[in-house]
Amino acid sequence: MARVEHRGLPASKATIAHWIRRAILVAYWVKNRVPPPGIKAHSTRAVGASWTVHNRASALQLCKAATWSSIHTFAKFYKVHTYTSADASLGRRILQAAVTLFQPQTAFYNNLAKDCVAQGCCVDLFLFPNQYVDVATLGVVTYQTGGSIYKYTFFQMESDKERFLNDLRRDAQKDIGFDAVMRVRTSTGIRATDFFGAFYMSNTTDVELAGLDCDKAVTVEFKHDDKLSEDIGALLQCAILYTSCGGQRRLRVHNMALNCCTQLADLYRNCETDTLINYFAKFAYRGVLNYPTKIVRDSLINQCAQILACYRKNCASPSSAGQLILPECMKLLPVYLNCVLKSDVLQPGPDVTIDDRAYSRQLVSSMDVSDSNVFFYPRLLPFSKVDPASESLPVAIRTSEERLSKGDIYLLENGLNLFIWIGANVQQALIQNLFGVSTFSQIDCSLSSLPVLDNPVSNKMHAIVTMFRAQRPRYMKLLIIKQDDKLEMFFKHLLVEDKNINGGASYVDFLCHMHKEIRQLLS
């Protein structure tokens, strides 16, 4: 029989698998070791993953690199004995740590929080860490008592004292009630099924807050489980019993009547995207307590795709399958959802610490809609559009680097920090009026506040900064960033419509991905 010539042709999968298996066997023989039975080409994946964990790589990095939706995939199918029997459970412990990353590591603070709630004692926490302090564990007390965490990493007296003093002053002066119990009642057809915020719940109906201040919000999830009447609508009541600062026991009741509809088109026409994002963010940030971040991210994408696919199927006019159709009130849902997915909690970069992630998670959990909106999609204003003689502000522009001009100055705020970005080609007169220097190179980026100069341009900039800070519950630290400066990466990280260095998709790429998900659901 003539021999078939294969030289020069692409190698088949079976051939490559044979080569890999042969290479593994030879490696064992060279080291004078007996190869384990049942070696396959796929064994390289198991050994590689096992050694990755053995060398102290994080479980989150492993799952991301291996594209596994669950850490248990590795524990069940890939963990091999690359270490001694005394450490046989190391891989499983590390993987479990990924799920418990944001959970307290001791029961002491959890018990302390329960005691504080029982006594109506609200705890606020001011942290000044220079290293890891386990915010996830310490923060349990503030989270369950309705308190606040303030974090000043690498505190510097000159640059951070103003922020600390203002936060402390507001924390002591803000309106607050103590020893509060909140209950939500509804009419027939809907019921409150879940609560998100900084509080403690000993049962399924009563929300207990040792302290409730004007900066906190509680998000309530309602389930529609029976018929609703368009004539009567849906009725909601939120009653809260609390003690005032003067020692008076008070009851405050909020009643709300909502319209009901029988057509999905009417529902989509009246939805509020900002409120949806507030709920999705809190839902996801609580989800990371029990699930790997990839599962949480995929769940958010799936929920968003289900919402938009339902609209396309039941409400939109017939059109080409290749056309993306979004509800008028939800046109910003994909861009906002992408911002949540790219946040430090769900997709951290190499410079984001566990403490930073735990701090952000607890911060967002009690945010109201306006604060969560600017936190995930920062406000960006071009200063060239500002009229010093007018009290009005220009319309904010989209947070993308392509919107920036080298000849302009921009203000960006996300509720925690306030950035002033200065383009390299800004006019010298504007630099002189704002910073008191004549050239771009002379601008001092280490300044924690703008110089006070007697001219309309400087007065207007100071007024805008003061107004922005007054709109937020926390004092925003001012950061001056020059174009191409080494600190510009922190500014660009907040340009959320762009692709970031952590692997987060740009808005355009994510919109294409969402379109693909919607088409798959419809098909």
Side-chain angles (χ1 to χ4, degrees):
M1 180 182 291
R3 187 173 184 273
V4 180
E5 181 60 56
H6 292 290
R7 286 181 297 181
L9 297 178
S12 65
K13 292 183 180 179
T15 301
I16 295 175
H18 172 74
W19 290 342
I20 294 175
R21 186 167 61 251
R22 186 68 180 175
I24 295 174
L25 293 174
V26 170
Y28 273 95
W29 293 336
V30 169
K31 292 295 184 179
N32 294 320
R33 294 184 179 181
V34 179
I39 283 184
K40 301 178 181 178
H42 200 68
S43 301
T44 56
R45 186 174 175 90
V47 173
S50 298
W51 273 110
T52 299
V53 174
H54 181 57
N55 290 328
R56 304 300 177 91
S58 72
L60 293 176
Q61 291 172 330
L62 174 63
C63 290
K64 182 178 180 181
T67 64
W68 289 326
S69 60
S70 171
I71 58 174
H72 305 294
T73 303
F74 166 73
K76 184 175 182 180
F77 297 107
Y78 294 98
K79 185 170 74 68
V80 298
H81 293 285
T82 56
Y83 34 84
T84 64
S85 58
D87 293 328
S89 63
L90 176 62
R92 195 177 297 275
R93 293 202 307 270
I94 292 179
L95 294 175
Q96 185 64 24
V99 177
T100 60
L101 194 64
F102 300 103
Q103 294 181 359
Q105 302 303 306
T106 174
F108 172 80
Y109 292 100
N110 192 52
N111 294 330
L112 177 61
K114 292 180 181 179
D115 293 339
C116 290
V117 172
Q119 300 299 322
C121 177
C122 176
V123 178
D124 292 329
L125 194 60
F126 289 81
L127 300 175
F128 304 85
N130 292 329
Q131 58 185 359
Y132 175 71
V133 294
D134 196 0
V135 173
T137 298
L138 296 175
V140 169
V141 183
T142 59
Y143 182 75
Q144 295 193 5
T145 62
S148 303
I149 296 182
Y150 300 89
K151 185 168 173 284
Y152 310 90
T153 306
F154 299 110
F155 181 85
Q156 299 291 328
M157 179 63 71
E158 292 301 320
S159 59
D160 294 318
K161 65 178 181 180
E162 187 178 9
R163 180 163 62 113
F164 166 64
L165 291 175
N166 278 276
D167 284 342
L168 181 62
R169 184 181 300 109
R170 178 179 173 83
D171 193 70
Q173 295 178 348
K174 62 186 176 184
D175 296 330
I176 188 171
F178 299 99
D179 196 15
V181 179
M182 185 183 80
R183 178 172 290 187
V184 177
R185 301 179 177 89
T186 63
S187 58
T188 303
I190 57 173
R191 58 189 175 92
T193 56
D194 211 346
F195 300 85
F196 302 86
F199 51 76
Y200 175 77
M201 292 188 73
S202 57
N203 54 53
T204 58
T205 56
D206 294 335
V207 177
E208 300 178 44
L209 305 106
L212 176 62
D213 60 63
C214 56
D215 297 333
K216 300 292 189 305
V218 177
T219 300
V220 185
E221 176 190 81
F222 294 94
K223 182 178 181 181
H224 172 207
D225 56 7
D226 204 346
K227 292 182 179 180
L228 293 173
S229 171
E230 284 190 272
D231 298 329
I232 301 176
L235 306 178
L236 309 176
Q237 182 186 81
C238 177
I240 182 165
L241 180 66
Y242 70 99
T243 302
S244 68
C245 290
Q248 294 180 325
R249 198 65 175 160
R250 297 177 178 176
L251 176 65
R252 188 166 187 175
V253 180
H254 293 274
N255 295 316
M256 180 181 293
L258 301 176
N259 294 329
C260 297
C261 60
T262 56
Q263 301 297 322
L264 276 174
D266 294 333
L267 178 65
Y268 280 98
R269 195 176 296 116
N270 293 280
C271 64
E272 294 186 12
T273 301
D274 292 347
T275 305
L276 273 176
I277 290 299
N278 181 275
Y279 165 76
F280 280 144
K282 293 182 179 182
F283 176 83
Y285 280 22
R286 190 176 66 181
V288 297
L289 292 174
N290 301 303
Y291 300 98
T293 52
K294 188 178 188 306
I295 292 180
V296 175
R297 287 164 48 83
D298 290 345
S299 175
L300 283 181
I301 294 174
N302 182 62
Q303 289 186 68
C304 182
Q306 292 278 3
I307 292 172
L308 298 179
C310 178
Y311 175 81
R312 175 64 183 266
K313 180 180 179 181
N314 299 289
C315 305
S317 302
S319 60
S320 169
Q323 183 178 358
L324 177 62
I325 301 178
L326 301 176
E328 188 64 32
C329 291
M330 287 189 174
K331 288 189 179 297
L332 296 179
L333 181 60
V335 65
Y336 285 165
L337 183 68
N338 190 36
C339 296
V340 176
L341 295 173
K342 294 197 299 184
S343 63
D344 290 338
V345 174
L346 297 183
Q347 194 170 45
D351 297 328
V352 180
T353 66
I354 296 176
D355 277 345
D356 290 336
R357 296 175 68 191
Y359 171 69
S360 295
R361 194 194 74 81
Q362 294 201 14
L363 196 64
V364 170
S365 297
S366 57
M367 278 186 178
D368 62 19
V369 173
S370 61
D371 288 334
S372 64
N373 178 264
V374 76
F375 178 80
F376 290 110
Y377 194 96
R379 176 164 55 166
L380 181 63
L381 290 181
F383 191 69
S384 63
K385 304 292 184 180
V386 175
D387 182 4
S390 174
E391 295 184 359
S392 61
L393 292 179
V395 177
I397 63 175
R398 295 171 62 173
T399 52
S400 174
E401 187 174 2
E402 67 179 16
R403 302 283 174 167
L404 302 181
S405 169
K406 292 184 179 181
D408 204 349
I409 293 177
Y410 296 85
L411 290 88
L412 183 143
E413 60 123 351
N414 71 338
L416 298 180
N417 293 297
L418 181 60
F419 294 85
I420 295 180
W421 184 86
I422 308 145
N425 297 334
V426 174
Q427 295 180 357
Q428 291 186 357
L430 183 57
I431 294 176
Q432 182 70 46
N433 287 332
L434 284 178
F435 301 99
V437 295
S438 57
T439 63
F440 174 81
S441 60
Q442 291 178 321
I443 298 174
D444 185 5
C445 291
S446 65
L447 294 174
S448 59
S449 61
L450 291 170
V452 179
L453 304 174
D454 188 15
N455 63 74
V457 175
S458 177
N459 293 338
K460 185 62 178 180
M461 178 65 84
H462 278 276
I464 294 175
V465 171
T466 301
M467 180 179 65
F468 280 8
R469 284 172 170 167
Q471 293 173 351
R472 307 299 167 203
R474 294 168 184 253
Y475 189 85
M476 291 188 290
K477 181 178 179 178
L478 180 65
L479 299 169
I480 299 174
I481 308 292
K482 294 195 294 185
Q483 185 178 0
D484 297 329
D485 187 74
K486 61 181 179 179
L487 295 178
E488 192 181 26
M489 59 177 294
F490 296 105
F491 175 81
K492 288 185 176 180
H493 180 65
L494 297 179
L495 300 179
V496 291
E497 290 200 21
D498 299 332
K499 184 176 181 178
N500 64 23
I501 60 175
N502 304 337
S506 67
Y507 168 52
V508 175
D509 291 340
F510 182 72
L511 197 62
C512 293
H513 177 67
M514 284 301 305
H515 190 197
K516 180 181 177 181
E517 292 289 325
I518 294 170
R519 291 180 65 180
Q520 288 179 348
L521 289 173
L522 294 175
S523 61

